[in-house]
């Protein structure tokens, strides 16, 4: 919508001017020229003579008029394209390419830059966040002197655009259009491969003269012979058509837009009107461009009121700078038919597909083992504009916009002495990968019938995959049924994600999903990447990425057809966990294992895990993997009913919720914590929303909620009243917490004792994690010391992040400080430091000091610095913070995603006094996420991004049904 509003304001402007920055650059140039040519105001010019005098005279007399005509025409074209539903051609794009033919000291280039500058100014004035724009402008002219003025004027103007995040790459090619275009397309590359703009601000006369002299027809004839085309008499515009075709084909761009402008009046040499010659040229090009989709929009008698700069030559008779003029232009768009007809590519990047993909990538990212929470909130702050820019980045084939090179590594404790390498994947690349899977992934399902993992969710909600626990239970039912009277071979793949061959995976995706064209290029860009240690070059998928599970499952599906055909075997798979139910009368288990190892080796040198590959009796397998009855009973009959009553609101609370949903949920969550019961604000809102459509039948089925107290000192009174109104629920809550604490302690004792069978230890670990997850919701209570010790000493046994949050909820900052200070795992330390920010009732000074020390310590891992900087933002404690402190944090850090947090810390701590430093800092900081943080800080001095709520757009993708608690959506490991 911002583009439409901006274009509307441009259309309403009664007078067009160059603008201060451009006028200043033009004035400096003219003053320099006056110093060289004392008679500059009286110089005449000859278009056929390449001299400094001629170039200076043309720039002095013609530049402002030509530039403003071009600016008005480009604005018209943008408005027409947007109103037709095609979107903008330059506004809001991260990259723009313009070829300025017959450059006239850069009239067209300056017009484009002026349009982009005004749009950035418009966004900033209305509180929008700017994104960097890379602009490639190429001046084409036969005259060296004119190209010199082009570089000087556009170069000066470009320097002033840094503050508007417009980065200009200025280049030039000497020669005549269209002959010189073969050289240009081979020596340059566009920054935007969706559309290239080519502008001839007033050169039809020169083109016509070249054609009349025979130089252009001769060149066209030679090109026909070289191309093996039949000879013939070239018509006016055919050589230009060949040049446009060269841009489309040599550069592989989607389209070329040619803007040709002529003045009103006649050609004195021929007596023809200039607009007639313009029509003749565009008609000639259109006839030649039959291999492409061609559309031409003609504008005749375009009226323009403009005001020349004071340094220009032109004045009206009474000395006024304001003038009225009439001119003509043609806008010819030449589109590649293949690219234009790529329906798959359009499906991938359709706005609604990308929006859904963002919602799913966002949900996944916010529930991963380690999340860049501030990155998500920055994207949320301007979500619609960010999605639009992301889409345009993909259309432009700007794969760098995915920020894949900035995936932050960390290692999660897996089991004794082992870790799992994971990555904090960037939100942009996850959204685009999810968009690809949504568009083409379902076609691969026929190859994944043996696997129960990562099945795509057909509903348009915030889950990319079907609920993992349901899929896992279906997998268990299937394997239990097939294992009845058979022997079972169980296996999985050693460090599977690290061993995936990227090129092989891309080939598999191409074959199974039929990706092609630009979608294939995008898939290659997403997957063929450096995943960092311990991955080898050309190997691996980043774990923690929303799409990695799907791609990995598709990769392993290539062995399913082979393994499913083994006689006497029922084969089932969940990700890389494989179960073979073997009829021993038909086939030997050693033979099955040999077939498995061979298939994995041929797929990509995969190796089975020795300690997880073994045979057992079917009954033993069923007994070991069955979900414990006691856990099922606790969950279904006690925990779930208890929690459901929290979400079922009666009439009075419903009314409060409907008046102000977020405020109600925040206050309700704060009161629930008194009970204690801990649910996040976003999750509480989702669960209330889930039941909202069923409220009519649920009145009376939930808790009796006393009126919310007006101030904190009345909280204890509210709690007493709540307990009096809900005695049965309160007793059930206390009893369940006691029982889960006992289960937690018994399971931990089993695990900490030496000995015990693998099955016993497996069940104990499952019970421990089950109890820990639910105690984090009900309040850790007496289990807190035990779970804190396990996080520190045996983190592979417990859900580290959830337990750290649970310790914060119950105010146990001492345990968190001990974990953060003594743990050997950077991941565990990071989780503990971040949780300290949520300690109730307040964050202790020792915790703040620890966060700062972590940021300042060169030995801290990036994941620790990320979470420490987040914790500082969420703690919101800024006593004694100085500019020197903040500047040191910003300038000593290398990782841009940590830097962005440091920038926000500076803005929060120092408010408006940080503006001067940040305004200068952003001139030298190219990374988009840091630029976004700087802009948000400048627009919200002293503001706290960490306190922002979810964007309303997320609500559009709420699921109809969610699990009882948030942690059940996290597939940290199978039950």
């Amino acid at each position: 919508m911002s583009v439409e509003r901006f274009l509307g304001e441009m259309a309403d402007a009664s007078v067009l001017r160059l603008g201060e920055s451009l006028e200043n650059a033009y004035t400096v140039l003219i003053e320099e020229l006056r110093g060289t040519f004392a008679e500059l105001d009286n110089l005449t010019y000859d278009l056929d003579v390449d001299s400094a005098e001629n170039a200076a005279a043309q720039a002095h007399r013609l530049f402002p008029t030509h530039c403003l005509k071009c600016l008005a025409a480009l604005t018209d074209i943008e408005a027409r394209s947007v109103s037709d539903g095609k979107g903008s051609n330059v506004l809001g794009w991260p990259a723009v390419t313009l070829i300025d033919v017959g450059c006239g000291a850069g009239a067209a280039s300056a017009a484009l830059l002026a349009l982009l500058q005004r749009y950035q100014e418009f966004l900033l004035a209305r509180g929008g966040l700017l994104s960097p724009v890379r602009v490639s402008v190429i001046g084409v002219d036969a005259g060296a002197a004119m190209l010199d003025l082009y570089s000087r004027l556009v170069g000066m103007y470009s320097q002033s655009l840094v503050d508007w995040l417009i980065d200009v790459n200025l280049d030039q090619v000497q020669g005549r259009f269209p002959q010189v275009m073969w050289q240009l397309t081979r020596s340059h590359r566009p920054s935007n491969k969706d559309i290239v703009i080519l502008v001839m601000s007033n050169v039809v006369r020169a083109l016509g003269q070249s054609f009349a002299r025979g130089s252009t027809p001769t060149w066209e004839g030679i090109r026909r012979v070289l191309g093996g085309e039949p000879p013939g008499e070239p018509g006016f515009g055919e050589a230009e058509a060949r040049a446009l075709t060269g841009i489309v084909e040599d550069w592989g761009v989607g389209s070329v837009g040619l803007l040709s402008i002529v003045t009103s009046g006649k050609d004195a040499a021929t007596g023809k009107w200039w607009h007639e010659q313009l029509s003749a040229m565009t008609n000639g090009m259109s006839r030649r461009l039959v291999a492409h989709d061609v559309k031409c929009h003609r504008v005749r008698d375009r009226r323009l009121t403009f005001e020349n700069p004071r340094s220009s030559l032109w004045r009206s008779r009474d000395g006024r700078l304001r003038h009225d003029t009439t001119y003509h232009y043609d806008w010819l768009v030449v589109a590649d038919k293949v690219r234009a007809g790529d329906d798959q590519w359009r499906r991938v990047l359709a706005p609604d597909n990308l929006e859904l993909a963002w919602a799913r990538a966002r949900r996944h990212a916010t529930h991963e083992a380690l999340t860049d929470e501030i990155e998500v909130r920055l994207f949320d702050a301007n979500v619609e504009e960010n999605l639009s820019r992301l889409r345009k980045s993909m259309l432009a084939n700007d794969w760098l916009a995915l920020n894949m090179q900035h995936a932050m590594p960390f290692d999660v404790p897996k089991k004794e002495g082992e870790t799992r390498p994971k990555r904090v994947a960037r939100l942009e690349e996850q959204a685009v990968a999810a968009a690809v899977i949504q568009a083409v992934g379902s076609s691969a399902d026929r190859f994944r019938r043996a696997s129960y993992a990562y099945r795509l969710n057909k509903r348009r909600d915030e889950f990319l995959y079907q609920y993992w626990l349901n899929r896992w239970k279906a997998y268990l039912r299937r394997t239990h049924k097939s294992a009845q009277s058979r022997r079972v071979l169980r296996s999985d793949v050693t460090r599977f994600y690290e061993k995936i061959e990227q090129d092989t995976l891309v080939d598999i995706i191409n074959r199974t999903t039929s990706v092609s064209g630009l979608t294939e290029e995008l898939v290659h860009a997403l997957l063929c990447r450096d995943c960092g240690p311990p991955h080898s070059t050309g190997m691996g998928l980043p774990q923690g990425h929303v799409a990695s599970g799907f791609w990995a499952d598709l990769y392993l599906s290539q062995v399913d057809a082979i393994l499913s055909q083994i006689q006497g075997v029922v084969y089932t798979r969940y990700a890389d966990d494989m179960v073979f139910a073997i009829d021993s009368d038909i086939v030997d288990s050693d033979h099955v294992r040999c077939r498995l190892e061979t298939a994995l080796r041929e797929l990509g040198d995969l190796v089975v895990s020795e300690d997880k590959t073994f045979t057992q009796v079917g009954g033993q397998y069923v007994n070991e993997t069955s979900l414990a009855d006691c856990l099922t009973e606790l969950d279904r009959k006690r925990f779930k009913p208890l929690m459901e009553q929290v979400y079922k609101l009666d009439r009075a609370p419903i009314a409060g919720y409907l008046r102000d949903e977020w405020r109600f949920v925040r206050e309700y969550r704060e009161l629930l914590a008194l009970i204690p019961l801990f649910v996040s604000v976003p999750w509480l809102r989702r669960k209330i929303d889930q039941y909202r459509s069923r409220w009519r039948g649920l009145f009376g089925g939930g808790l009796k909620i006393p009126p919310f107290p007006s101030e904190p000192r009345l909280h204890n009174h509210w709690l007493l009243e709540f307990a009096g109104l809900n005695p049965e629920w309160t007793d059930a809550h206390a009893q369940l917490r006691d029982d889960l604490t006992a289960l937690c302690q018994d399971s931990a004792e089993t695990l900490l004792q030496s000995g015990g069978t693998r099955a016993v230890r497996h069940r104990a670990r499952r019970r421990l994690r089950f109890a820990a997850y639910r105690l984090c919701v009900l309040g850790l209570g007496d289990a807190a010391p035990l779970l804190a010790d396990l996080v520190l000493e045996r983190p592979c046994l417990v859900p580290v992040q959830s337990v750290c949050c649970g310790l914060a909820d119950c105010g146990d900052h001492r345990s968190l400080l001990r974990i953060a200070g003594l743990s050997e795992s950077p991941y565990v330390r990071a989780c503990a430091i971040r949780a300290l920010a949520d300690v109730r009732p307040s964050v202790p000074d020792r915790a703040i000091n620890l966060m700062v020390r972590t940021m300042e310590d060169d030995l801290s891992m990036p994941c620790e610095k990320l979470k420490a900087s987040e914790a500082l933002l969420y703690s919101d404690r800024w006593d004694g913070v100085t500019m020197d402190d903040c500047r040191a944090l910003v300038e000593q850090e290398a990782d841009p995603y940590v830097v962005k947090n440091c920038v926000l810390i500076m803005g929060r701590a120092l408010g408006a006094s940080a503006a001067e430093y940040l305004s200068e800092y952003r001139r030298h900081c190219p990374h988009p996420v840091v630029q976004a943080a700087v802009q948000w800080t400048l627009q919200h001095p002293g503001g706290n991004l960490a306190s922002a709520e979810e964007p309303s757009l997320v609500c559009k993708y709420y699921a109809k049904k969610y699990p009882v608690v948030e942690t059940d959506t996290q597939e940290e490991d199978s039950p």
Side-chain angles (χ1 to χ4, degrees), residues 433 436-437 440 465 500 505 509 513 523 526-527 541 545 547-556:
V436 172
I437 291 174
V440 304
Y465 307 114
I500 292 173
L505 175 58
I509 294 169
T513 64
V523 168
L526 287 166
L527 297 178
L541 284 174
H545 192 294
S548 290
F550 181 85
W551 299 135
D553 199 68
L554 187 56
Y555 186 82
L556 201 54

Side-chain angles (χ1 to χ4, degrees), residues 915-933:
E916 182 179 354
Y917 171 81
L918 291 176
S919 296
E920 178 61 27
Y921 174 75
R922 73 173 184 175
R923 295 170 61 91
H924 312 289
C925 180
H927 197 280
V929 77
V930 181
Q931 290 285 1

